[in-house]
């Protein structure tokens, strides 16, 4: 197929990594002469980047693909992403899907589209993900303000509930030179904040003579980007040196996102996580002793197989005791091919959702407490380039979301704002 002049629409499901990769696919196709359009504008080609983190995410992916095929029967439908790598045949069975590309092949959409009419499409284009050694740099920017920069991909941890290592392969990283070049590129586009993103971001630098701390020190010296954040970091990889560095850094914001997953040591063992809850608590205490106003977001999973009522209560009480700012709560999802399926005790759907609600209530209390702690302070807010209803929104250095009446002159600027209760918002 000659793709020059074709209209292409992009739809992304899932995490920030997927958003950064869709952007990179889009830039490649635009350079090949395609025109980017919205999904309602009768595109010739749709690129759908899917997620496989839960069964709900996969179901959403299937529904979306069917909907797009139904409304655009003439269009070519290209499906990429974790779901496409893990369940390619299942997707190809959906009538109307033209191409399914795996973890490596998705960065070569142009090639596969050009050969579309001459290649039989009953088979997915997919590689052995564990043989993947090369790293594809990617970065996204939805507006002119913030950018998600992928510095690492894959994961060697194999937590018992997780399919990501099977979808993305072994841990591998960009080189510091690639990252510095990407940072210069996005700075030239007017981006003010870069979020360093990966599957296991703290594992950055594996098999290279560098590590995340060394990279952070290099980035802190560039001065081309005003703010950096780390999207998420495993507790065992969040060293005291990284915390101390953030405490004294010019450009790394006082903001941590750390996956705990369970506050019960027994459940952590079932999950095959690499730390105890006591170790996790020392990390929180170190952050708070050095940076009292740091925002700490924590991921948890509720209703994991093997999580008895007693284990859950123990976990909940531990989480309640932590000086953190917000929880991101996910109901445990059964994933085909994972070790967790060998654990006999299954938590019912109803009970799982009850546990999710309990943890969300703790999260609400913690966020309100954190807001109260910071009320009255004056902090730098980076306002985003979009109008939300009648408002303009932005984030403080320590990740408090602020909302002011819309004023276009604030967009993409860092402005000192006094944090009055009425301008703080709890929306994500
Ligand atoms: S660290 Fe565990 S949960 Fe995170 S991607 Fe790796 S295997 Fe999955």
């Amino acid at each position: 197929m000659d793709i020059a002049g074709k209209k292409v629409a992009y739809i992304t499901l899932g995490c920030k990594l997927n958003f950064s990769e869709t952007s990179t696919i889009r830039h490649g196709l635009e350079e090949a002469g395609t025109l980017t359009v919205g999904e309602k504008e009768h595109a010739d080609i749709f690129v759908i980047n899917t997620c496989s983190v839960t069964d709900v995410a996969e179901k959403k992916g299937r529904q979306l693909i069917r909907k797009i095929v139904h409304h655009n029967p003439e269009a070519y439908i290209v499906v990429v992403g974790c779901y496409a790598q893990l369940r390619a045949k299942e997707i190809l069975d959906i009538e109307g899907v033209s191409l399914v590309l795996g973890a490596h092949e998705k960065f070569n959409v142009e090639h596969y589209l050009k050969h579309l009419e001459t290649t039989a499409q009953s088979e997915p284009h997919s590689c052995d993900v564990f043989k993947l050694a090369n790293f594809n740099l990617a970065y996204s920017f939805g507006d002119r303000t913030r950018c998600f920069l992928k510095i690492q991909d894959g994961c060697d941890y194999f937590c018992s509930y997780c399919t990501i290592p099977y979808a993305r392969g072994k841990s591998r990283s960009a080189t510091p030179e690639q990252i510095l070049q990407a940072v210069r590129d996005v700075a030239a586009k007017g981006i003010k904040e870069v979020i360093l993103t990966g599957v296991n971001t703290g594992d950055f630098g594996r098999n290279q003579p560098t590590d995340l701390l060394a990279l952070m020190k290099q980035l802190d010296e560039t001065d081309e980007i005003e703010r950096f954040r780390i999207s998420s970091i495993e507790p065992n990889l969040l060293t005291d040196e990284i915390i101390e560095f953030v405490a004294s850094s010019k450009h790394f914001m006082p903001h941590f996102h750390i996956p705990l997953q369970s506050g019960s040591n027994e459940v952590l063992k079932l999950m095959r996580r690499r730390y105890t809850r006591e170790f996790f608590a020392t990390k929180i205490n170190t952050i708070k002793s050095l940076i009292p106003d740091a925002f700490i977001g924590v991921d948890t999973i509720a209703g994991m197989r093997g999580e008895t009522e007693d284990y859950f209560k123990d976990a909940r009480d531990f989480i309640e005791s932590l000086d953190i700012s917000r929880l991101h709560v996910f109901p445990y999802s059964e994933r085909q091919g994972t070790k967790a399926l060998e654990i006999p005790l299954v938590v019912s759907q109803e009970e799982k959702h009850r546990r999710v609600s309990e943890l969300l209530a703790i999260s609400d209390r913690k966020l309100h407490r954190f807001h109260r702690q910071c009320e009255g302070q004056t902090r730098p807010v980076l306002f985003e380039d979009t109008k939300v209803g009648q408002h303009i929104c932005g984030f403080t250095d320590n990740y408090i979301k602020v909302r002011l009446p819309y004023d276009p002159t604030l967009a993409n600027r860092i402005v000192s704002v006094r944090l009055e209760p009425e301008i703080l918002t709890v929306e994500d």
Side-chain angles (χ1 to χ4, degrees):
M1 188 207 315
D2 180 8
I3 62 171
K6 294 271 189 260
K7 291 192 263 175
V8 188
Y10 301 85
I11 305 175
T12 307
L13 301 172
C15 64
K16 302 295 186 257
L17 213 54
N18 268 11
F19 280 87
S20 67
E21 291 178 341
T22 303
S23 280
T24 296
I25 293 169
R26 193 186 78 216
H27 293 147
L29 289 181
E30 284 172 351
E31 274 172 27
T34 63
L35 304 168
T36 297
V37 296
E39 61 177 272
K40 299 207 173 109
E41 291 175 58
H42 300 292
D44 303 304
I45 300 164
F46 281 82
V47 176
I48 305 176
N49 197 350
T50 58
C51 171
S52 187
V53 75
T54 61
D55 51 355
V56 174
E58 288 187 354
K59 193 172 159 202
K60 258 194 188 167
R62 280 192 301 276
Q63 286 172 341
L64 177 76
I65 295 165
R66 287 203 184 92
K67 192 177 111 190
I68 296 294
V69 169
H70 177 75
H71 289 295
N72 305 275
E74 306 295 322
Y76 290 94
I77 311 290
V78 183
V79 185
V80 301
C82 291
Y83 182 36
Q85 174 66 36
L86 287 175
R87 318 239 183 277
K89 283 280 197 186
E90 197 175 296
I91 300 172
L92 271 179
D93 283 345
I94 301 175
E95 204 175 320
V97 170
S98 320
L99 265 177
V100 177
L101 301 179
H104 175 61
E105 293 74 12
K106 68 186 167 197
F107 293 105
N108 220 348
V109 179
E110 181 189 343
H111 166 85
Y112 289 102
L113 280 173
K114 281 184 174 164
H115 293 85
L116 192 55
E117 271 137 6
T118 55
T119 318
Q121 298 306 311
S122 54
E123 290 297 318
H125 297 280
S126 203
C127 56
D128 176 350
V129 82
F130 292 111
K131 292 201 177 130
L132 268 185
N134 65 319
F135 179 85
N136 293 89
L137 191 90
Y139 56 78
S140 76
F141 41 95
D143 56 38
R144 287 190 297 119
T145 312
R146 300 203 294 164
C147 153
F148 292 91
L149 170 60
K150 177 178 136 189
I151 62 165
Q152 187 275 343
D153 201 349
C155 183
D156 299 340
Y157 276 23
F158 294 94
C159 299
S160 68
Y161 54 84
C162 181
T163 51
I164 301 301
Y166 306 98
R168 287 191 167 266
K170 289 188 207 155
S171 179
R172 53 207 189 275
S173 309
T175 62
E177 294 71 32
Q178 285 175 310
I179 295 167
L180 286 164
Q181 185 56 52
V183 163
R184 273 181 226 119
D185 291 348
V186 298
K189 294 179 200 295
I191 294 285
K192 296 272 196 306
E193 181 173 307
V194 170
I195 298 119
L196 305 180
T197 309
V199 172
N200 188 344
T201 314
D203 208 32
F204 170 82
R206 171 167 294 221
N207 302 327
Q208 288 185 34
T210 186
D211 62 13
L212 184 62
L213 180 60
L215 175 70
M216 290 168 71
K217 286 181 178 170
Q218 267 182 292
L219 292 174
D220 211 38
E221 290 305 313
T222 63
D223 286 337
E224 281 164 90
I225 288 289
E226 308 219 18
R227 292 172 159 201
F228 286 99
R229 298 180 198 271
I230 306 166
S231 64
S232 165
I233 183 164
E234 287 291 304
N236 56 303
L237 297 173
L238 178 58
T239 60
D240 289 350
E241 289 76 19
I242 289 180
I243 300 170
E244 283 157 18
F245 178 71
V246 172
S248 62
S249 149
K250 282 184 285 181
H251 297 298
F252 276 85
M253 297 296 103
H255 172 195
F256 296 85
H257 181 169
I258 321 170
L260 168 64
Q261 309 305 24
S262 175
S264 150
N265 280 338
E266 284 75 12
V267 177
L268 286 176
K269 256 188 234 141
L270 291 172
M271 290 176 158
R272 302 191 175 190
R273 302 287 289 166
R274 301 185 174 208
Y275 50 87
T276 61
R277 68 184 195 175
E278 289 74 21
F279 178 85
F280 190 92
T282 64
K283 293 294 155 188
I284 303 298
N285 293 340
T286 306
I287 294 170
K288 283 293 169 173
S289 66
L290 293 174
I291 323 171
D293 290 330
F295 182 98
I296 306 178
V298 170
D299 292 339
T300 56
I301 295 173
M304 163 82 181
R305 274 191 180 227
E307 187 186 65
T308 64
E309 179 65 30
D310 285 348
Y311 289 167
F312 173 70
K313 283 183 184 154
D314 186 39
R316 179 202 57 199
D317 294 347
F318 171 76
I319 290 168
E320 185 85 76
S321 74
L322 293 172
D323 187 2
I324 57 179
S325 322
R326 184 173 213 162
L327 291 172
H328 304 273
V329 187
F330 303 92
Y332 165 71
S333 177
E334 300 272 38
R335 311 305 296 126
Q336 205 180 311
T338 56
K339 283 278 171 203
L341 298 188
E342 292 167 17
I343 302 167
L345 187 134
V346 178
V347 179
S348 71
Q349 281 297 106
E350 199 187 7
E351 177 58 17
K352 209 187 289 178
H353 289 294
R354 195 192 63 73
R355 292 180 190 181
V356 167
S357 307
E358 250 188 86
L359 293 176
L360 285 175
I362 294 177
S363 179
D364 286 350
R365 287 199 293 278
K366 290 205 175 284
L367 189 59
H368 280 110
R369 196 177 316 138
F370 183 65
H371 280 183
R372 277 203 304 276
Q373 175 187 327
C374 298
E375 273 168 26
Q377 296 178 358
T378 298
R379 303 200 76 105
V381 175
L382 172 56
F383 284 96
E384 297 187 347
D385 200 13
T386 42
K387 189 174 179 186
V388 184
Q390 296 309 308
H391 293 97
I392 187 163
C393 295
F395 286 91
T396 62
D397 54 341
N398 63 344
Y399 209 59
I400 293 176
K401 192 167 183 181
V402 163
R403 205 171 62 165
L404 290 181
Y406 186 69
D407 172 357
T409 65
L410 289 174
N412 206 27
R413 280 176 52 214
I414 296 175
V415 179
S416 287
V417 175
R418 189 177 149 85
L419 302 183
E420 304 295 354
E422 60 276 11
I423 66 166
L424 307 187
T425 166
V426 295
E427 286 155 25
D428 233 347

